[in-house]
Amino acid sequence: MGVVLFGLLAASVTGQSAQGHSSVSPTASPGTQTDVDTTVYVWRVYLRNDADLLTLTSGDWDVLESRGADYLLIMGDDATAAALRAQGFRVEVDEVIPAVSLRSPLTYYGGYHTVAEHEQHLSNVVSAHPDLAQRLDYGDSWRKQRGLANGHDLYAICITRLRPGDCTPGTHNDKARYVLVTGVHARELVPPELAWRWIDELVNGYATDPDITALLEYTEMWVVPLVNPDGRHIVEQGGSSPYYQRKNANNLLGSCSNPPTSSNHYGIDLNRNADFHWYGSGASTAPCSPVYKGTAPNSEPETVAFEALMSSLFVDQWDPALTSAAPLTTTGIMLNIHSTGNMAMIPWDWTSQDPPNNAELRSIVFRMSYFNGYTTGSSGQILYISSGTLDDWAYGTLGIPNIVFEVGSVFMPSYSLVDSTYYPLNRGALRYAAKIARQPYILSYGPSTLTPSLTLTTTYAGTAVTLTAWLDDQPYGTVGTGRPAIQAISAAEYYVDTPPWARGTPIAMQPVDGTFNSSREQATALVDTVLCPGRHTLFIRGRDTSGSWGPTTATWLFVTPAPSRVLSGTVVDRIDNTPLGASVFITGSVPGTETVSLATTDPATGIYSLTLSGELTYTMTALAPDYIAQTRLLTCDIWTNSVDFALLPATFHYGAALPFVTFTHDITSTADLTATPWPSAAP
C-alpha cells in the first residue's frame, strides 16, 4: 500500500495529544495576519480524509514529526494559518514558541549547546578518558567541503574499553556495535543534548556502574551528536529566538528566505536524501521546502559521509533484493533520535507495509518504549509516509534494526526539561539498546533481568552469598500497534566474570516460589566465592517459554582475602626422606617481596607451622644448610593448609657443590604439590 490510510492513522494514535495541554489562542484573530506579529506557532491542522493527508505531506508545509488522532502539526506564522484556512482546513494553535533568554554567552535559547561546544565536549571526553574514548572525523559538511566560513568537520565518538584495533571503521572484532544518531534536523534542539548526556553517562559509569562497565568491556558505543552541524550553526544564530533551519546549509538552489523561516529556507533535508527509496511520498521537489529531497540521492556530503561511516561499522547482513528478513543473528543496532511526538518507530518510513523483520523489530521497539511510554509502531503507520530517510537506509541496506524516537511534546522546550524530563525518561531505553546490540533480533524476545542483588556485596573468599534477581517478560510498551505477546519465565542463570557470548559457564538459578510458571519471577542462587580477591562481575539472564534468552544484567561481587589461617608441613631430604632443620617463610605474590611470615622446623621431625594473614597469592620458600632452596608460588589459594618440601642436597651432583638454584612452580591445590616433578639424580 503506497499511502497511509487516514482511518488507520486515527485508530493507531487515538487519544494522543501532541502537547498534553489545551490549545491556546494567538493574539491575532483567526485568519488575520498583522504587520508586526512575527510569532511562530505550531498549528493543529485537522484531517477530513486521505486526500487531506496527502495534501499536507506533499512538501508545501512544514509538517512536524508529531501528530494527533485526527490532525497533523504544522509550524508557521499567522500567514501559514491563513493559507491553510483558505484551503478549507480547520486550524487551531497547539503551541506558541516563545523567545527565551540566554543562560550564558556560550549557549543559546536558555542553555542549549552550540556546535562549537559539542565539538569541544568530544575533545574533552577523549582527553579525560584516553582509555575509553576515540573521536573520529568521518567527513566534511557542505560548507566545509566548499571552503566556506562556518563549515564543519563531521564527528563521531566511539566509547569502549579500548584495546588495540577497537573503534576502527572497516574492521570487525568480537565487540558488538551500537550507534546513537542525533542532530539530523538542525532545529530539533533536544536530541543532541541527549547524546551529550549519554556520552557522559558512559565514560563516568565505567568502573563505577556494573552494567555500564560490562557494556563497555564488550560493546563499542558510537555516537554521532550532530549529523548536520552547518544547519545547527544557522539555528543557533537566532540566539533567544532560534532560526527554524531544518536542512543543511546548501544554498545553491532556489530563492529561499534568509534568515530562514519554518516553512521556507535553503538546504536539503538529509532525511529525504538517503540512497534508499529516494523521491517518494513525503519529499518535495521545491528547493525551499523543509522536506526538499535534493537533486539526486546522496547529493549532499553529510548523507554520503554518514552512509559511508555506517557501512564501515556494520557488515551488510541482508539480501539486497529485500525478499527475505535479515538474519536473526544480525549484530548491531542504530537509534536515531528526533523531536517531537513522543513516538518510538521502526521501519518502514516509505510505506505503511510491514518490514520483513516486523515481529523482531516490534519486539525491540516495544521493549524500548517500556521505558518512555511512547506510542509505538512504524512511521508509515502511526505518523506519515516519508521517503529517502536515513532510518530506512540503515535497515534496508545493512539489515540492522533501526529505531527512531520522536522525543517530547513541545517543539522547542525549555532547556531545563532536558535534565528534568527528557533524559531520565529515555536513559533506560538507551541502555536497553546497548544490551541487545550483540544480537538484537534474538535478545529482544527474551525477558529482562531487573534489580539483581546480593546478600553481601563484599565477602571473604570461600564465604557463600545469595544472589537474587527478577526475570520479567512484561516490560513492553503499552501504547501502539503490534505489541508482542508476553511469555512465562522458564529458566534463569548467572555467569561469573565471563558472559555467555564469551563461552562462560552457566550456573542455574532457582525460582524463589518453587516453580517458573509466570511472566515475572524472582530467581535465586547460592554463589560460591572460592575466587581470587578483587571485583567479580556476575552476568544474570532469563529465558522464557518461547526458548528465548534475554540480555544480561551485571552486578558486582567483591571478594576479600580470608582471615588468618595456619599452614604446616614437613621439610625432608629428597634422597632419603630424613627430617631437616630448615627455615620456611612466606612472602607476597611477587618472589623477593617483604617476608610476611617465618617459621623453623623441628630438626627431629622436620615439622613447621606458621600463620598466613589473609593473603591468597603468595610464595613459600624452604631453606636448609647445604640444600638447594625450594620455592612454591600459590596463586589465588584459599584452601591449602598443608605444604611439604623435599630438598635436594647441594653436593649430590657428582660430589661437587651445585650452584644455588630456586625452582618455582605454580600450584592451585595440595594435590599439585605431591605430584611436582623434581630433577632426578645424575648417573
Side-chain angles (χ1 to χ4, degrees), residues 507-533:
I507 304 172
M509 301 178 70
Q510 303 303 317
V512 170
D513 63 4
T515 306
F516 285 127
N517 57 9
S518 67
S519 59
R520 191 172 191 269
E521 293 275 1
Q522 190 176 32
T524 187
L526 197 63
V527 179
D528 186 354
T529 62
V530 178
L531 300 167
C532 290

Side-chain angles (χ1 to χ4, degrees), residues 410-605:
V410 179
F411 188 71
M412 286 190 176
S414 167
Y415 178 75
S416 64
L417 290 175
V418 176
D419 289 316
S420 67
T421 302
Y422 296 125
Y423 191 70
L425 191 64
N426 285 283
R427 66 192 297 269
L430 294 175
R431 283 202 187 201
Y432 184 82
K435 286 188 174 190
I436 64 171
R438 184 164 298 277
Q439 286 189 329
Y441 291 138
I442 293 175
L443 292 172
S444 68
Y445 276 131
S448 298
T449 300
L450 310 174
T451 59
S453 63
L454 293 161
T455 50
L456 292 172
T457 56
T458 301
T459 186
Y460 288 126
T463 303
V465 299
T466 299
L467 169 68
T468 58
W470 284 96
L471 296 311
D472 197 345
D473 206 53
Q474 298 177 19
Y476 282 115
T478 58
V479 181
T481 60
R483 184 176 189 263
I486 296 172
Q487 310 289 330
I489 305 301
S490 62
E493 61 188 22
Y494 74 95
Y495 296 72
V496 180
D497 291 329
T498 306
W501 59 86
R503 300 185 179 181
T505 301
I507 304 172
M509 301 178 70
Q510 303 303 317
V512 170
D513 63 4
T515 306
F516 285 127
N517 57 9
S518 67
S519 59
R520 191 172 191 269
E521 293 275 1
Q522 190 176 32
T524 187
L526 197 63
V527 179
D528 186 354
T529 62
V530 178
L531 300 167
C532 290
R535 188 185 73 197
H536 295 273
T537 303
L538 307 183
F539 298 87
I540 308 104
R541 67 175 184 171
R543 186 183 68 199
D544 61 24
T545 52
S546 72
S548 300
W549 289 100
T552 62
T553 294
T555 192
W556 282 332
L557 171 65
F558 294 88
V559 174
T560 61
S564 300
R565 68 183 190 273
V566 174
L567 282 176
S568 61
T570 60
V571 181
V572 299
D573 185 297
R574 172 67 173 163
I575 305 303
D576 58 16
N577 208 38
T578 57
L580 297 176
S583 297
V584 179
F585 59 92
I586 294 176
T587 61
S589 59
V590 179
T593 57
E594 182 180 357
T595 299
V596 296
S597 189
L598 174 66
T600 57
T601 63
D602 179 346
T605 63

Side-chain angles (χ1 to χ4, degrees), residues 376-423:
T376 307
S378 73
S379 174
Q381 293 171 347
I382 68 171
L383 185 56
Y384 49 68
I385 299 293
S386 53
S387 56
T389 66
L390 295 172
D391 319 312
D392 277 358
W393 177 87
Y395 172 62
T397 302
L398 301 174
I400 61 172
N402 178 80
I403 306 301
V404 175
F405 282 176
E406 296 283 355
V407 300
S409 57
V410 179
F411 188 71
M412 286 190 176
S414 167
Y415 178 75
S416 64
L417 290 175
V418 176
D419 289 316
S420 67
T421 302
Y422 296 125
Y423 191 70

Side-chain angles (χ1 to χ4, degrees), residues 116-457:
E117 286 182 295
H118 278 285
E119 293 174 345
Q120 187 61 51
H121 178 235
L122 298 186
S123 295
N124 293 345
V125 167
V126 171
S127 296
H129 304 277
D131 56 330
L132 296 176
Q134 287 186 180
R135 188 178 73 166
L136 173 71
D137 179 346
Y138 70 91
D140 293 335
S141 70
W142 186 87
R143 292 188 64 84
K144 181 166 185 182
Q145 192 177 77
R146 283 157 181 77
L148 301 175
N150 299 315
H152 298 87
D153 292 313
L154 303 176
Y155 287 120
I157 190 170
C158 176
I159 303 172
T160 190
R161 182 186 62 81
L162 285 167
R163 309 169 306 180
D166 284 349
C167 296
T168 304
T171 65
H172 305 280
N173 55 31
D174 58 344
K175 288 188 175 181
R177 282 173 170 161
Y178 164 35
V179 180
L180 173 64
V181 179
T182 63
V184 175
H185 290 146
R187 67 192 184 188
E188 296 171 6
L189 302 185
V190 171
E193 299 293 336
L194 302 184
W196 182 301
R197 285 147 182 80
W198 175 240
I199 291 168
D200 286 351
E201 180 167 340
L202 291 175
V203 294
N204 294 331
Y206 188 78
T208 62
D209 181 302
D211 242 3
I212 286 180
T213 304
L215 287 170
L216 294 183
E217 292 285 340
Y218 295 98
T219 310
E220 290 183 5
M221 309 289 193
W222 287 80
V223 183
V224 184
L226 292 172
V227 174
N228 181 11
D230 285 1
R232 187 75 168 198
H233 180 76
I234 294 172
V235 171
E236 68 193 42
Q237 299 313 300
S240 60
S241 296
Y243 293 139
Y244 292 96
Q245 180 78 19
R246 169 185 167 100
K247 304 178 289 181
N248 75 349
N250 184 341
N251 62 359
L252 298 181
L253 301 170
S255 180
C256 307
S257 176
N258 188 24
T261 67
S262 63
S263 58
N264 186 310
H265 52 271
Y266 288 105
I268 282 76
D269 184 349
L270 301 180
N271 212 35
R272 300 295 185 273
N273 190 241
D275 191 14
F276 188 87
H277 283 271
W278 178 79
Y279 189 21
S281 297
S284 175
T285 58
C288 299
S289 166
V291 290
Y292 176 51
K293 62 183 178 55
T295 57
N298 278 351
S299 64
E300 303 312 293
E302 294 92 345
T303 314
V304 172
F306 180 80
E307 291 183 10
L309 172 65
M310 294 294 290
S311 297
S312 72
L313 295 180
F314 299 103
V315 177
D316 184 349
Q317 299 163 87
W318 206 2
D319 176 2
L322 306 184
T323 56
S324 59
L328 292 181
T329 55
T330 294
T331 181
I333 188 170
M334 171 177 150
L335 172 61
N336 193 345
I337 301 183
H338 289 258
S339 65
T340 59
N342 289 335
M343 293 181 178
M345 296 180 291
I346 61 172
W348 299 113
D349 298 332
W350 69 273
T351 177
S352 60
Q353 295 176 349
D354 288 334
N357 292 93
N358 183 56
E360 294 81 24
L361 287 164
R362 289 185 190 274
S363 183
I364 293 169
V365 73
F366 271 95
R367 289 291 190 200
M368 295 174 70
S369 67
Y370 164 79
F371 297 96
N372 54 31
Y374 289 172
T375 299
T376 307
S378 73
S379 174
Q381 293 171 347
I382 68 171
L383 185 56
Y384 49 68
I385 299 293
S386 53
S387 56
T389 66
L390 295 172
D391 319 312
D392 277 358
W393 177 87
Y395 172 62
T397 302
L398 301 174
I400 61 172
N402 178 80
I403 306 301
V404 175
F405 282 176
E406 296 283 355
V407 300
S409 57
V410 179
F411 188 71
M412 286 190 176
S414 167
Y415 178 75
S416 64
L417 290 175
V418 176
D419 289 316
S420 67
T421 302
Y422 296 125
Y423 191 70
L425 191 64
N426 285 283
R427 66 192 297 269
L430 294 175
R431 283 202 187 201
Y432 184 82
K435 286 188 174 190
I436 64 171
R438 184 164 298 277
Q439 286 189 329
Y441 291 138
I442 293 175
L443 292 172
S444 68
Y445 276 131
S448 298
T449 300
L450 310 174
T451 59
S453 63
L454 293 161
T455 50
L456 292 172
T457 56

